[in-house]
Amino acid sequence: MKDFTAYLNETEEIGFVEQVADAIIYVSGLPKVKPEELVVFETGEFGHVFSVNPDYIEVLVFFKKHIKPGTRVTRTNEILKVPVGYELLGRVINPLGNSIDTTKPLKTPPEKRGVNTHPAGIIKRRAITKQFETGVLIVDLAIPLGHGQRELIVGDRKTGKTSFLTKTILNQAKRGNICVYAAIGKRKLDVKKIEEFFAKNGVLDKMVIVASGSGDSIGVIYLTPYTAMTISEYFKDEGKDVLLVLDDLSSHAKFYREISLLGRRFPGRNSYPSDIFYTHAKLMERAGNFITDKGDASITCLTVAETSQGDLSGYIETNLMSMTDGHLYFDKNLFYLGRRPAINPFLSVTRVGRQTQTNLRRDVSREIMSFLNLYERMQSFVHFGAELNETIKATLATGENIIHFFNQTPGEVVPINLQIIAFTMLWANLWEIKDTTMIRKQLHQILEAYSSDKKIREKIDKLAETESFNKLIGVLKTEGPNIIKAVSQKYGN
Ligand code: ATP
Ligand code: MG
């Protein structure tokens, strides 16, 4: 970009700083300035026009340096743009597009795009038809998502939301899809941990981390999801399926509220500005399933919202729920009971995911939901201390196995075909389980065999194409024990 004098000569307009309110600076005297235009201060810093009033403009700045009233300002006739391109893969950048990791200097991509664009219209969109695999058993089997779906990840603090998201990114990146992770106002240490997790698992080169720290200027934090979305759109236009994670939009809303209050906007409900819904909805609308010049491509957007005391009816949470295609609820009580992930399937919703399922997958998810329902009710008998008959005991035992089956360790991702076969065997008591600790160990072995042994993989993939659940149970009665035997022989149990 050019310097102050060059822009001044070009635009021939000069303004002055009137008042400074943290990240919002009031400037007077730029008659032709447009909303969202970049302005430059004589000290060399840039700011973004946030609103235009008859007598003054509000400029949002992305630095913490103090600007004195009376400082000269000029227009640039340009809007805020961030670099987008393949060069960003494997890097941690700030929302302005500069690298903040310590590896090597970032080769800035040649293309730049405006951060606040309009969502694509209906002509460019397609229905969601392809299942999005998270690698997390309870989600893929019971609450399926689709490529291009926008799903809210909602729950209290420390209930494993980020852990679920990192697992999903890991699975998607392993499948060759591009992942963009936006860390909005997070601690530096948390961002570092996430970066290291992906580097350790060898998928960092498939993703971009856009991070702003809690110590950054609020302007920079506010920008984070927009930059991440713009980068995702670039890869979408390249014909790729992209996963975008926004972690999290409830703190983004808080920073936006701070900016609005500094800008003397009228406070609405909970002091949030009245355009908070519009701000987030316009962003979320940019995700979806699209037709591009390079074929079909999608941006699947997983957005995090934090609840307090498990209250799902908060203002920002309900706003976000109404602009997404469902939500996964991370239940604190289930987390305390040791469930990992602590997703409550009864309070979670998927609006478009089910339409992506095959008949068999739909059968399986229906079976799981009705079984879990039955299991919950049976458990209440146990609390009464009632004498249990054999059927109830058997249901409780199967239920316990299934709950253990759903408990995944942080790095464990399971391909969906394997999920279906393993679940069906467990459900139909074809997988001999002596004690529940065996489930994880054996599933891990089957998973290893699936990825290393082509014969086993082909067999499982073929079985997962069976038309219905009942038919699959029938086939597995003979085939299932063979798979377990083949795996046991391989690993010598
Ligand atoms: P925050 O509110 O800080 O964003 P969060 O909801 O994103 O929290 P995480 O940071 O993902 O939660 O997880 C909280 C804790 O639970 C972490 O210490 C993490 O190691 C642990 N945890 C989450 N999922 C699992 C899992 N599947 N297995 C083992 N530990 C887990
Ligand atoms: Mg988190």
Side-chain angles (χ1 to χ4, degrees), residues 156-164 167 186 306 335 340-341 408-410:
D156 277 12
R157 292 194 59 237
K158 298 271 167 242
T159 45
K161 301 184 292 298
T162 305
S163 178
F164 162 74
K167 214 178 286 178
K186 294 268 168 223
E306 194 181 288
F335 191 83
R340 303 283 184 277
Q408 277 168 272
T409 44

Side-chain angles (χ1 to χ4, degrees), residues 17-296:
V17 171
E18 294 289 334
Q19 201 186 345
V20 179
D22 198 70
I24 293 278
I25 295 186
Y26 295 90
V27 173
S28 65
L30 293 174
K32 288 198 192 134
V33 76
K34 296 185 288 276
E36 302 201 2
E37 189 174 338
L38 278 184
V39 292
V40 57
F41 296 92
E42 65 178 316
T43 46
E45 280 84 12
F46 287 86
H48 162 82
V49 176
F50 202 56
S51 81
V52 180
N53 299 295
D55 304 327
Y56 63 90
I57 56 168
E58 280 168 29
V59 177
L60 179 66
V61 293
F62 306 112
F63 51 85
K64 285 199 129 177
K65 194 172 153 186
H66 188 65
I67 295 271
K68 288 199 190 87
T71 307
R72 291 186 300 160
V73 190
T74 190
R75 294 175 48 210
T76 62
N77 241 336
E78 289 168 24
I79 57 162
L80 182 62
K81 287 184 175 172
V82 290
V84 290
Y86 285 91
E87 290 84 348
L88 298 178
L89 289 175
R91 306 306 300 262
V92 184
I93 58 165
N94 73 4
L96 296 168
N98 306 315
S99 78
I100 47 174
D101 49 17
T102 44
T103 42
K104 50 184 186 302
L106 174 68
K107 190 168 167 280
T108 310
E111 189 178 339
K112 283 188 160 199
R113 289 194 181 187
V115 287
N116 197 7
T117 54
H118 285 285
I122 190 87
I123 312 256
K124 291 247 154 128
R125 289 176 187 259
R126 274 178 61 98
I128 288 169
T129 50
K130 204 163 58 163
Q131 185 166 356
F132 173 88
E133 284 188 36
T134 62
V136 175
L137 295 150
I138 193 159
V139 177
D140 289 347
L141 290 176
I143 323 150
L145 308 179
H147 273 283
Q149 181 163 354
R150 295 153 301 175
E151 185 85 355
L152 190 66
I153 309 300
V154 61
D156 277 12
R157 292 194 59 237
K158 298 271 167 242
T159 45
K161 301 184 292 298
T162 305
S163 178
F164 162 74
L165 292 166
T166 48
K167 214 178 286 178
T168 307
I169 292 178
L170 183 62
N171 192 38
Q172 284 296 313
K174 276 188 178 166
R175 301 171 69 82
N177 294 333
I178 304 278
C179 305
V180 181
Y181 180 88
I184 305 170
K186 294 268 168 223
R187 289 188 312 161
K188 279 207 175 93
L189 185 68
D190 290 338
V191 177
K192 192 80 206 147
K193 265 195 211 154
I194 286 169
E195 184 195 345
E196 280 170 2
F197 174 82
F198 292 118
K200 200 177 86 194
N201 284 287
V203 296
L204 200 58
D205 59 340
K206 281 272 163 224
M207 61 181 303
V208 185
I209 301 177
V210 184
S212 56
S214 42
D216 284 338
S217 143
I218 37 178
V220 170
I221 301 175
Y222 163 77
L223 199 61
T224 320
Y226 297 95
T227 302
M229 183 60 90
T230 309
I231 294 170
S232 306
E233 281 176 338
Y234 170 82
F235 289 112
K236 179 262 290 176
D237 290 340
E238 288 287 300
K240 308 256 184 236
D241 281 328
V242 184
L243 164 63
L244 167 65
V245 170
L246 303 176
D247 195 359
D248 63 294
L249 275 198
S250 35
S251 60
H252 182 257
K254 287 189 187 125
F255 287 107
Y256 185 60
R257 170 169 70 183
E258 200 173 326
I259 293 172
S260 299
L261 292 174
L262 286 169
R264 300 187 206 134
R265 304 273 170 84
F266 192 78
R269 188 168 150 193
N270 293 0
S271 300
Y272 285 104
S274 50
D275 67 345
I276 185 77
F277 188 96
Y278 167 77
T279 307
H280 282 165
K282 188 177 168 197
L283 176 70
M284 301 299 289
E285 253 337 87
R286 288 164 70 182
N289 201 13
F290 300 92
I291 304 164
T292 70
D293 297 341
K294 299 198 176 163
D296 288 355

